[in-house]
């Protein structure tokens, strides 16, 4: 009886971990939620990473996960190991846009350029 | 949908602002020309002191006799005008769009407060509508154009509220929201909404005459 309970206590957290972990990986990413905003004023933008890139035919990570040095994008560097707010703080400084503007430029800027993908506020920030 | 959105938020917005600013300048300049041609004598008693006194007094709630006689209208009118002007200028979504276009940004209202201020504008419009329908002396001087003007003013705020909550067809309503804002901007110089430009001048004129000529109080 005792052993049965002990097993349950050990297995339950492991099961929770197995079920929850993939939710944090890229394949199941549902929204852009960087955590860099001190106060969230809109729901995070809907974004399914793999689905988006397949549809948009994006091969290079640094298409979005860019690295800039002295105002120039470094073509063979990428930053997918970082979160956006490591460089883009809320306010922004000099040539580095603030977090909100960085997201908008990266997503909406490309959507406008390509004439594809959502550009109205509420089509990404869905309530 | 995207091409319509791009059109109403791009070229059409430019056109609306050009007509709004150009129209305001045109109305002000033609007024000055008219005064210069027909009523030059008013310059003889226009006074900066009495002008500013009158503008200040008539911008203070319950300062004048008529405001005291109609307390409900006074409260609604002041709340309406304050919210009408501040909400669109300091709305997060509006400032964000300006930041994207021109790299300019400024302080924004907390979203919850902006929502309450929007509702105040809409509620005030309902008050004005009921007042026109119910109050005999107001009804007597009301024409169809008054209802149309009220609708032009209410529309950007009603659609703005619906768009904020993304109720009933977000994309269509967003386009209607932008269009209704543009209609209102263009209507300001060319309709009786032009009191936005002329009210201070009217006050300056009346204040100067009551203060400097009649030596009467500025009712």
């Amino acid at each position: 009886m005792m052993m049965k309970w002990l097993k349950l206590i050990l297995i339950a957290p492991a099961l929770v971990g197995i079920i929850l972990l993939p939710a944090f990986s890229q394949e199941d990413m549902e929204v852009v939620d960087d955590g860099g905003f001190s106060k969230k004023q809109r729901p995070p933008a809907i974004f399914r990473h793999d689905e988006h890139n397949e549809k948009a035919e994006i091969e290079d990570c640094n298409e979005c996960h860019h690295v800039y040095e002295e105002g120039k994008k470094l073509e063979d560097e990428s930053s997918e190991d970082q979160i956006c707010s490591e460089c883009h703080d809320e306010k922004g400084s000099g040539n580095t846009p603030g977090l909100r503007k960085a997201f908008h430029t990266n997503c909406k800027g490309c959507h406008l350029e390509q004439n594809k993908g959502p550009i109205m506020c509420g089509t990404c920030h869905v309530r | 949908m995207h091409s319509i959105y791009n059109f109403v938020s791009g070229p059409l917005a430019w056109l609306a602002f050009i007509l709004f600013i150009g129209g305001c300048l045109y109305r002000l300049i033609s007024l000055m020309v008219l005064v210069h041609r027909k009523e030059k004598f008013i310059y003889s008693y226009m006074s900066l002191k009495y002008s500013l006194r009158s503008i200040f007094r008539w911008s203070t709630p319950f300062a004048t006799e008529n405001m005291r006689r109609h307390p409900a209208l006074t409260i609604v009118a002041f709340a309406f005008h304050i919210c009408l002007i501040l909400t669109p200028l300091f709305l997060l979504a509006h400032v964000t769009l300006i930041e994207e276009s021109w790299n300019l940004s400024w302080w924004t209202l907390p979203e919850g407060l902006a929502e309450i201020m929007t509702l105040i504008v809409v509620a005030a419009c309902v008050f004005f509508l009921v007042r026109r329908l119910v109050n005999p002396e107001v009804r007597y001087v009301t024409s169809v154009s008054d209802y149309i003007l009220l609708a032009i003013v209410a529309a950007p705020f009603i659609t703005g509220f619906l768009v904020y909550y993304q109720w009933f067809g977000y994309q269509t309503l967003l386009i209607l929201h932008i269009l209704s804002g543009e209609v209102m901007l263009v209507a300001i110089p060319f309709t009786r909404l032009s009191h936005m430009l002329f009210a201070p001048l009217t006050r300056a004129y009346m204040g100067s005459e009551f203060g400097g000529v009649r030596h009467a109080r500025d009712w």
Side-chain angles (χ1 to χ4, degrees), chain B:
Chain B
M1 226 37 150
H2 276 189
S3 46
I4 306 174
Y5 173 82
N6 279 331
F7 178 67
V8 295
S9 65
L12 216 52
W14 275 105
L15 182 69
F17 275 99
I18 289 168
L19 287 175
F20 166 60
I21 294 167
C24 288
L25 288 174
Y26 168 76
R27 290 298 308 271
L28 284 172
I29 291 167
S30 31
L31 181 77
M32 298 300 168
V33 169
L34 194 66
V35 169
H36 202 73
R37 276 218 319 260
K38 293 200 163 174
E39 297 210 333
K40 252 184 182 169
F41 65 91
I42 71 165
Y43 296 133
S44 63
Y45 63 82
M46 283 305 280
S47 134
L48 185 66
K49 181 186 135 195
Y50 289 126
S51 294
L52 292 177
R53 188 184 75 164
S54 190
I55 290 168
F56 180 75
R57 184 172 160 79
W58 285 72
S59 309
T60 311
F62 297 105
T64 69
E65 182 63 30
N66 229 355
M67 291 186 207
R68 284 186 210 141
R69 283 193 198 173
H70 304 100
L73 179 63
T74 302
I75 292 169
V76 173
F78 271 90
F80 168 78
H81 283 95
I82 292 166
C83 296
L84 178 83
I85 291 166
L86 294 185
T87 316
L89 286 179
F90 296 101
L91 193 80
L92 175 69
H94 292 177
V95 175
T96 302
L97 286 174
I98 286 167
E99 187 191 32
E100 281 171 28
S101 298
W102 294 327
N103 218 4
L104 268 174
S105 73
W106 50 84
W107 177 85
T108 57
L109 289 161
E111 296 274 83
L113 182 59
E115 189 188 331
I116 292 166
M117 289 167 76
T118 305
L119 288 175
I120 288 175
V121 172
V122 177
C125 287
V126 173
F127 177 91
F128 296 142
L129 174 68
V130 171
R131 180 172 165 268
R132 284 202 179 279
L133 292 169
V134 169
N135 194 323
E137 58 263 43
V138 183
R139 198 172 169 175
Y140 184 69
V141 293
T142 294
S143 62
V144 179
S145 70
D146 292 294
Y147 295 115
I148 296 173
L149 274 185
L150 206 48
I152 287 176
V153 174
F157 291 86
I158 295 171
T159 51
F161 186 82
L162 296 177
V163 161
Y164 178 73
Y165 278 104
Q166 303 175 6
W167 287 339
F168 321 113
Y170 171 76
Q171 301 197 20
T172 311
L173 272 169
L174 180 61
I175 288 162
L176 286 177
H177 171 66
I178 299 170
L179 275 175
S180 62
E182 287 160 353
V183 167
M184 182 174 167
L185 272 180
V186 176
I188 287 171
F190 302 110
T191 65
R192 262 180 301 127
L193 296 182
S194 60
H195 70 269
M196 177 179 137
L197 306 166
F198 295 143
L201 298 178
T202 312
R203 279 309 353 131
Y205 173 74
M206 299 289 280
S208 296
E209 184 179 322
F210 276 55
V213 179
R214 294 174 194 240
H215 305 288
R217 64 179 273 224
D218 188 25
W219 292 94

Side-chain angles (χ1 to χ4, degrees), chain A residues 35-46:
Chain A
F37 293 108
S38 57
K39 195 180 155 210
K40 284 183 191 159
Q41 306 208 67
R42 286 288 158 111
I46 302 283

Side-chain angles (χ1 to χ4, degrees), chain A residues 16-113:
Chain A
V16 171
I18 289 163
I19 292 162
L20 280 186
L21 260 183
F24 295 107
S25 72
Q26 221 168 38
E27 294 87 73
D28 292 300
M29 179 178 180
E30 294 275 336
V31 292
V32 181
D33 197 358
D34 169 280
F37 293 108
S38 57
K39 195 180 155 210
K40 284 183 191 159
Q41 306 208 67
R42 286 288 158 111
I46 302 283
F47 182 73
R48 294 180 191 94
H49 185 273
D50 291 5
E51 194 183 313
H52 173 269
N53 297 346
E54 208 169 296
K55 212 170 172 186
E57 291 165 10
I58 295 173
E59 301 284 339
D60 297 327
C61 300
N62 77 354
E63 197 74 51
C64 303
H65 299 278
H66 53 230
V67 180
Y68 274 81
E69 212 172 82
E70 285 162 14
K72 275 193 184 143
K73 185 174 165 181
L74 303 178
E75 284 307 330
D76 13 289
E77 303 251 354
S78 68
S79 57
E80 66 271 18
D81 52 344
Q82 289 170 280
I83 55 169
C84 308
S85 56
E86 275 180 47
C87 297
H88 299 282
D89 60 15
E90 271 191 288
K91 284 223 153 152
S93 57
N95 278 333
T96 314
L99 189 57
R100 183 179 74 206
K101 194 165 182 229
F103 278 138
H104 287 166
T105 312
N106 217 6
C107 301
K108 188 183 161 186
C110 187
H111 293 171
L112 282 170
E113 242 170 58

